Amino acid sequence: MTASAEAVSMATVAARAADEKLAADVVVLDVSEQLVITDCFVIASAPNERQVNAIVDNIEDKLREAGYKPVRREGTREGRWALLDYVEIVVHVQHEDERDFYGLERLWKDCPAVPVDGIGDPRATTTEQDKGGDDE
């Protein structure tokens, strides 16, 4: 069994929202084979508490615009490891220190990564449009 299309869609929205706020190492993992409580983990990190909270706020805004509300949110006050539970997906936004220490990717290394187009290169979509007229 793999993650549902809805879970992948939600995870993509969350990953792109994290990337918009310059989150580091945004990863989406399909944990559906290992867990019965959720389909995907979205993992992102930031170098300070303020940026962790900005990433969390943007993810919540973008998912709310898409029609989703978290059933649970934890750790947002401290800004060290925020968890947003949307049932189909669980979003982890961690301070870099927590991410290095807890190593969620290592714990879930047997789970396949879900590719998300456009993550990491904010110029990817504009670069493709700019190339249209230059090749001729």
Side-chain angles (χ1 to χ4, degrees):
M1 183 175 183
T2 60
S4 70
E6 183 174 16
V8 171
S9 175
M10 291 173 68
T12 299
V13 170
R16 287 185 177 148
D19 190 61
E20 261 181 32
K21 291 297 178 180
L22 306 177
D25 301 320
V26 180
V27 176
V28 177
L29 299 176
D30 180 344
V31 296
S32 61
E33 298 263 335
Q34 306 292 326
L35 292 174
V36 295
I37 58 172
T38 194
D39 281 356
C40 293
F41 278 174
V42 178
I43 306 169
S45 56
N48 59 61
E49 291 85 354
R50 188 174 185 168
Q51 190 173 1
V52 166
N53 289 328
I55 293 165
V56 167
D57 289 345
N58 200 47
I59 290 169
E60 285 186 304
D61 289 346
K62 297 297 183 182
L63 283 170
R64 189 177 307 108
E65 289 170 13
Y68 304 104
K69 289 175 26 177
V71 294
R72 181 173 44 250
R73 62 195 305 264
E74 299 176 11
T76 54
R77 183 175 303 156
E78 297 83 14
R80 300 294 294 181
W81 181 347
L83 182 140
L84 302 172
D85 184 352
Y86 287 86
V87 180
E88 290 91 354
I89 70 168
V90 175
V91 180
H92 301 271
V93 182
Q94 300 173 300
H95 188 284
E96 289 173 348
D97 295 340
E98 271 69 10
R99 188 160 183 183
D100 290 341
F101 183 78
Y102 290 102
L104 292 179
E105 289 98 333
R106 288 189 308 272
L107 290 173
W108 300 100
K109 67 183 176 193
D110 294 336
C111 298
V114 176
V116 178
D117 292 335
I119 295 297
D121 185 6
R123 300 174 304 139
T125 54
T126 56
T127 304
E128 292 302 316
Q129 293 169 353
D130 292 343
K131 287 183 180 178
D134 294 345
D135 293 329
E136 296 179 41

